[in-house]
Each structure stands twice: as C-alpha cells, then as structure tokens.
Amino acid sequence: MNNPFDYSPDPACDAAFASFMEMIELMKASDNPEDINFCNQLEAGKMIGVLIAADCNGERHTLFAFSGQLGKYGFYYPGFVGPVFDYLDPEGYFKTKEKDISTQNLEIERYEAGPLVKLKEDFSYKKRELEAEIEAFKEACRVSKSARSERREKGGLDEEELKKMIKQSQFEKAELHRLKKRCAEELKPYEAALKTGEAHLKSLKAKRHAESEQLHQWLFANFRLLNARGEYRSLKDIFKDTAIGIPPSGAGECCAPKLLQAAYLRGWKPIAIAEYWYGKSKEGELRIHGSHYPACRGKCLPVLSWMLRGLEVDPPLGDTQLKSVTGSPKIVFENEWFCVVEKPAGMLSVPGKGNVMSVQSWLEEKYGADKQVKPVHRLDRDTSGLILATFGADSYRLMQKLFAQRKVKKTYIADLEGDHRALAVPEKGEISLPISPDFLDRPRQTVDFQNGKEAVSLYEFKEVACNKSRVIFNPLTGRTHQLRVHAASPLGLNMPICGDPLYAPAAGKNAERLHLHAHKIEFDFPVDGKRYSFESPVPFPLIQHPTLGKGVCCICPVATSAQHLDNILHT
C-alpha cells in the first residue's frame, strides 16, 4: 500500500473521488433538503478519505470517510464508514458523564455570578467604608497638626500648652492605630467569608477538572485501534511513549484511521489510500478544494504507525530518500568574508535526518573545518537558487545583522497556478499575512493572526502562459514557507506555486519540481564598503508540456505535425 504520509494517489482513488464529486453536484441540484444540507456541511470544508481494499476473494471495494464529525450528522452519514469508537451515544458512558460535567459547569457559572459576586461586593463595600472612616480620621489629624504648627509659629508657648500639644499628637497617633486595628477586626468576617467562597469555587473547579480528566482517560483507554495483524491497542498506549505523552484532541478521528479500522473489521486488505480536501479552507489552513493531502503527522503518525503494522507499505518518499536533486551546488562567488552558493532543488540547506548531503555539509567538506563556513539563511529543500554563507563567527554575526535589519534584498521567481488577470489578482502589490507552524501537521505552516509572526512579501507578475503566471517575489521577512503560503492562501494571491507538494499537491502534480527559485541577492557589505549583487538563472520553463518533454513551452495540447511541433518549439 502507498504510504499515507507521502504519496501520489492511486488512479482508483482519484477515480473514486471524482465520482464522489459528481455525486455531490447532483445532490446540490436536487430538491431534497437533506441532500442540500449535507452539501452545505461539506462546503464549509472537510477532508474526505478514500480507501481501496480487497476481500479474501481478491475482489476490490471502495470505502469513504470524512474527518471528525459532520454537523448534525455527527459520525454517521450513508455511504461513509463510521467512527473507530462511537462515544457520542446519548445513553453511553461518555455522554452521560459529559452531561454531568456540563451540569457542574452551570453550577460553577451560577455560583460565580450569584453568591460569590455577593461575597465580593460585601467585602469591597465594607472595606471601602472602613477605609473612608480611617481616611476621615487622618484628615482630622492633619487639620489638628496644622493648627498646632500655626500656634508654634506664633510663639509665646508656655510649657503647659506645649505639653498639651505633644499629648494631643500622641493621642491622635494612638487613636489612629486603634482605629486601624478595629477596622481590620471588623473586616475579618467579610474577608473570611470571601476566602471560604473562593475556596468553594476552587473545589468545584477541581472536582470538574478531575472528572473531566478521568473521562478523557476513559475515552483514551476505550478508543481501541486495530492493525493488519488483528491486534488492538488503545489511544492511551499508542501515545504514551510519544513526545506529548497524551493523545491530542481528535486523535483517531481522521479519515485514515476510520478507513483502516473499517477495512480490518470487514476482513479486507487495504491496497491504496488517499485523502482529499472538499470545500473552503478553515482557520488559516491552506487547503485547496479537490487537492489530495498527506495524513497529518501530529495526530495520525503515532496512530497509523500502529495501524499499518502487518501491511507492506511504501516508505515515505521525503523521509527515506531525497526527492531527486536537480544538480550539484556550485560556488558563484567567494572572498575572505563570505561565499555565494547556487543550491539545486532537492538538496537541504542544513543537515536533516540521516546522513544526507546538504549545502552546509557540502561547504564544510569543500572548505574544511578551519574556515568555519556557515549559511546565513536557508531555502526550502525543493527551492533552488542562491544562498549566502560566511567564513568565521564575526562575518556570520555581521551578515545576520544585515538580514535582521532588512538590508539584504532577495528576489525570487516563481510560476503560479492560474492566470492572474482572469482571477482579478492585481499585477503587483504587497502581501502581509502572519505565519505560524501547524504543530499537528508539520512542516505545514498556517496563516495565524493571533500568534503568527509578521510575514511580508512584495510581488509583481511578469508573464502568463497556458493558465500559469510567472511572478517576481521580494520577501521583506524570512519566515518558513513564506512565499508558498502567501501564494497559496485565499487571503494572499490564492494561486499556489506550481509543483508545491504541501500546499497544492493536486494542482502541481505534473510539475517535475517546485517552481520557486532564489534568483537574486543584493546588499552593501560594511567591511569593504562595496555593493554586491548576484544572480542565478531560472532553471525551469514557465510551462512544461507533460508529453512534449522538459523545457518545451506549451501553446496547444497536441502537436499534430512536424511543422506544428517546430512552430511550438520556436514560439
């Protein structure tokens, strides 16, 4: 079976999903309110899974699943497999306990809004009243003190009068002390009542937390998943040895676990699996309608690692082998402070998993340890183009400072899916969309306006051919996948980069590589005062015809004669 984390969909999965899309279109056109409501639920955005499996006689079957729950339908809708574990039964343990916890929530809310508010108000009112009494006495003491000061300034005080003044001052200080003590005693019952109330609230919340945690542990222990050997294992046991230790929310409810569980329970052998996005993107995620996507790693990697045991599964293309490197790195320029390297697509910028050559390891091998060579910035593995590396710690710190101050201008060239004119995308402009990692589905990034880091890119379109647009990018910041996200996001250009395996796997599946190239880099170097500018030619054509071969510009879909082909090649 294909690896669910890195794959091209089996034609049978593509065909099944195409049939599903046709069925949805028919349902949209129907007069059945249930059909229309179901379609509306899907349009909001849902992952749809397809599994091809064979029974004991070798006959193939197709199973469908949707991720998580689907609106009012919950886990169930005709034509889709059910959940691995149905904890939503209204009479079941989970929903019964969840109802109890909801009742506790209401009790806590009522107590916070009623008795506790009254206790807080009583305490605050009494405290203000006593503080006002103390402040009034202090003011009387200040007036008395001022009068004594005036009397002293007039002079002529006899010893008896002076003694009276001193005695009055001492009395007022003692009286203030007694007043503060009395007020503190009067406030104590109110303070004690408030503390008792807060302690009661804390105990209610602790009880709710304990029961909620117990309910989750019950769920994790009873959420049991099969593998191809017929062995069961709970979510709790699957995640206990992972870095997070406990299952994240929604674990086991994605498409792939549902599909595999359904196949195993039927005694079928999984042959091919694929997941496709249907509808709109959600909450900053970059999902394109109709595109296939890998299983998420945060929730599904531990689960599927268990469920796939006993099956012969293809290795992940990206983990066990590099996608084809399009050439060897080469030095474009070097001096005593830095060098400029031309990185081929498919090569890592810095060492990753395994003993695989990267730009950094290639530089270290070329120059030796004494040169202390180190890249100042990175390019994605699938991106080609220029990387700046420095010699020695001082040069590295200096160049990092230039990058941080945005004094290094970087120019990228990319080919995007679609005609920007037909899509009404302005010819040039600025994209400002904050970006943060998708922690449950690395290495994907998401648009995140709450916690994301600032990411700004300038763009200008240059050419259009065969529904593809060539664009120049000037990123002002250097976030991971910045240009890929800004291109693909509906909030950005809404035009993914051709061949992008993460953000537009279906749209770019015929491209031989990611069409993104670090074309130019420019900066003023403060050590020698010179202006440096380096360029690297774009290594991919704007359009590559899938049948005519690499580097051929596509004007029409089929070459019908030698003369026609010659015209295409010269156009």
Side-chain angles (χ1 to χ4, degrees):
M1 195 185 81
N2 61 280
N3 192 294
F5 297 101
D6 197 350
Y7 66 96
S8 292
D10 186 282
C13 291
D14 276 343
F17 184 68
S19 297
F20 169 81
M21 299 269 274
E22 291 173 5
M23 180 194 73
I24 296 301
E25 291 305 312
L26 291 174
M27 292 174 71
K28 286 180 185 177
S30 76
D31 296 327
N32 187 334
E34 279 298 305
D35 285 350
I36 295 171
N37 183 64
F38 171 72
C39 293
N40 289 338
Q41 297 284 350
L42 287 182
E43 290 291 343
K46 208 67 176 165
M47 196 70 80
I48 303 296
V50 179
L51 178 71
I52 310 298
D55 61 24
C56 58
N57 296 317
E59 184 178 352
R60 294 197 171 193
H61 305 269
T62 303
L63 296 174
F64 290 90
F66 53 79
S67 59
Q69 302 173 41
L70 190 65
K72 70 171 188 176
Y73 306 106
F75 286 135
Y76 297 100
Y77 193 83
F80 294 89
V81 302
V84 173
F85 177 53
D86 185 1
Y87 54 87
L88 297 182
D89 179 4
E91 305 302 321
Y93 178 80
F94 185 87
K95 294 304 289 183
T96 302
K97 290 299 295 182
E98 191 177 53
K99 191 174 180 180
D100 290 343
I101 293 170
S102 295
T103 302
Q104 291 178 41
N105 288 336
L106 291 174
E107 183 184 352
I108 289 170
E109 288 172 8
R110 283 196 296 265
Y111 185 76
E112 284 183 306
L116 189 62
V117 167
K118 180 68 167 55
L119 290 171
K120 287 180 177 179
E121 288 176 347
D122 288 348
F123 173 78
S124 296
Y125 178 80
K126 190 62 178 178
K127 186 179 180 183
R128 287 195 300 270
E129 180 184 282
L130 295 171
E131 285 175 344
E133 185 178 350
I134 292 170
E135 188 57 39
F137 186 79
K138 284 182 176 179
E139 181 60 27
C141 290
R142 282 192 287 270
V143 171
S144 177
K145 182 179 180 181
S146 178
R148 289 194 297 272
S149 297
E150 288 180 7
R151 177 68 187 90
R152 287 191 186 94
E153 287 175 3
K154 288 180 180 179
L157 283 171
D158 58 26
E159 188 176 341
E160 186 64 28
E161 190 177 0
L162 183 59
K163 284 180 180 181
K164 284 182 179 180
M165 292 173 62
I166 292 173
K167 190 174 181 180
Q168 184 186 22
S169 175
Q170 290 172 340
F171 171 79
E172 288 173 353
K173 288 179 181 178
E175 190 64 14
L176 177 60
H177 177 73
R178 285 189 290 271
L179 176 60
K180 286 181 177 180
K181 188 175 180 180
R182 176 175 61 80
C183 288
E185 289 297 321
E186 286 187 36
L187 189 61
K188 276 183 180 180
Y190 295 87
E191 188 175 17
L194 178 57
K195 285 183 177 179
T196 301
E198 289 175 337
H200 179 61
L201 176 64
K202 188 176 180 180
S203 69
L204 291 175
K205 289 184 174 181
K207 181 174 180 288
R208 179 186 61 181
H209 176 76
E211 292 191 15
S212 178
E213 181 63 24
Q214 184 182 30
L215 182 59
H216 279 95
Q217 291 302 320
W218 176 90
L219 175 63
F220 298 151
N222 285 272
F223 204 114
R224 301 170 70 238
L225 299 119
L226 271 166
N227 63 21
R229 299 169 183 163
E231 302 165 335
Y232 280 96
R233 196 170 191 183
S234 70
L235 271 180
K236 182 178 180 181
D237 289 336
I238 287 173
F239 277 89
K240 69 179 181 181
D241 294 326
T242 63
I244 57 176
I246 59 173
S249 177
E253 297 179 29
C254 297
C255 294
K258 287 184 178 183
L259 290 167
L260 291 172
Q261 188 89 348
Y264 294 151
L265 289 173
R266 290 166 171 79
W268 296 349
K269 179 182 178 181
I271 302 227
I273 193 169
E275 296 183 53
Y276 304 84
W277 185 258
Y278 188 95
K280 301 174 183 176
S281 292
K282 285 186 175 181
E283 299 172 356
E285 286 188 73
L286 299 182
R287 302 291 188 186
I288 296 174
H289 176 68
S291 287
H292 78 275
Y293 288 90
C296 64
R297 291 183 174 270
K299 290 188 286 189
C300 285
L301 183 58
V303 170
L304 297 186
S305 295
W306 164 256
M307 298 189 78
L308 293 172
R309 288 186 185 182
L311 277 184
E312 186 177 348
V313 180
D314 290 337
L317 300 176
D319 288 349
T320 60
Q321 57 186 27
L322 272 177
K323 292 181 179 178
S324 58
V325 179
T326 58
S328 299
K330 65 179 182 180
I331 301 298
V332 174
F333 173 85
E334 68 173 274
N335 59 20
E336 61 184 293
W337 303 290
F338 62 84
C339 66
V340 180
V341 189
E342 193 173 65
K343 183 186 90 69
M347 176 175 275
L348 297 169
S349 295
V350 295
K353 294 179 181 178
N355 188 24
V356 178
M357 182 67 75
S358 64
V359 171
Q360 181 173 327
S361 56
W362 182 82
L363 287 170
E364 289 171 350
E365 186 176 291
K366 177 178 176 63
Y367 289 107
D370 292 344
K371 289 284 277 185
Q372 299 180 37
V373 63
K374 189 175 182 180
V376 186
H377 61 116
R378 303 180 185 184
L379 298 178
D380 294 344
R381 181 188 63 184
D382 297 325
T383 303
S384 57
L386 300 177
I387 290 183
L388 192 61
T390 56
F391 300 119
D394 291 340
S395 294
Y396 181 77
R397 284 193 293 269
L398 176 58
M399 200 64 76
Q400 271 198 323
K401 187 176 181 181
L402 293 181
F403 272 91
Q405 294 174 342
R406 299 183 181 180
K407 292 182 178 180
V408 178
K409 183 180 180 182
K410 297 169 288 181
T411 302
Y412 290 74
I413 293 179
D415 294 336
L416 309 186
E417 294 286 342
D419 183 335
H420 75 93
R421 301 167 303 185
L423 297 170
V425 179
E427 185 175 332
K428 60 182 178 179
E430 178 180 298
I431 307 164
S432 180
L433 294 175
I435 294 172
S436 68
D438 185 341
F439 293 104
L440 290 177
D441 198 10
R442 289 181 179 273
R444 290 175 60 85
Q445 306 290 306
T446 63
V447 175
D448 184 350
F449 289 99
Q450 288 188 334
N451 303 307
K453 292 184 177 180
E454 179 191 26
V456 183
S457 306
L458 305 179
Y459 74 90
E460 182 175 1
F461 287 102
K462 289 299 181 181
E463 298 178 69
V464 177
C466 293
N467 203 36
K468 302 287 188 292
S469 301
R470 176 152 289 187
V471 66
I472 291 177
F473 281 119
N474 292 116
L476 302 185
T477 52
R479 308 301 176 203
T480 301
H481 295 179
Q482 176 173 317
L483 298 180
R484 298 165 73 171
V485 171
H486 282 178
S489 173
L491 300 174
L493 299 181
N494 201 21
M495 299 172 64
I497 297 175
C498 297
D500 193 330
L502 280 178
Y503 303 105
K509 64 184 178 182
N510 290 325
E512 80 288 354
R513 55 157 292 180
L514 177 70
H515 280 218
L516 180 62
H517 182 70
H519 167 63
K520 191 174 183 180
I521 192 164
E522 306 166 79
F523 58 92
D524 293 316
F525 195 57
V527 176
D528 60 6
K530 291 183 180 179
R531 174 73 176 176
Y532 288 93
S533 179
F534 307 98
E535 288 189 17
S536 169
V538 180
F540 44 79
L542 176 57
I543 301 297
Q544 179 184 328
H545 193 288
T547 59
L548 295 184
K550 188 173 182 178
V552 178
C553 181
C554 170
I555 304 302
C556 62
V558 180
T560 57
S561 68
Q563 180 60 49
H564 187 59
L565 177 60
D566 185 62
N567 290 338
I568 292 174
L569 292 171
H570 284 87
T571 301

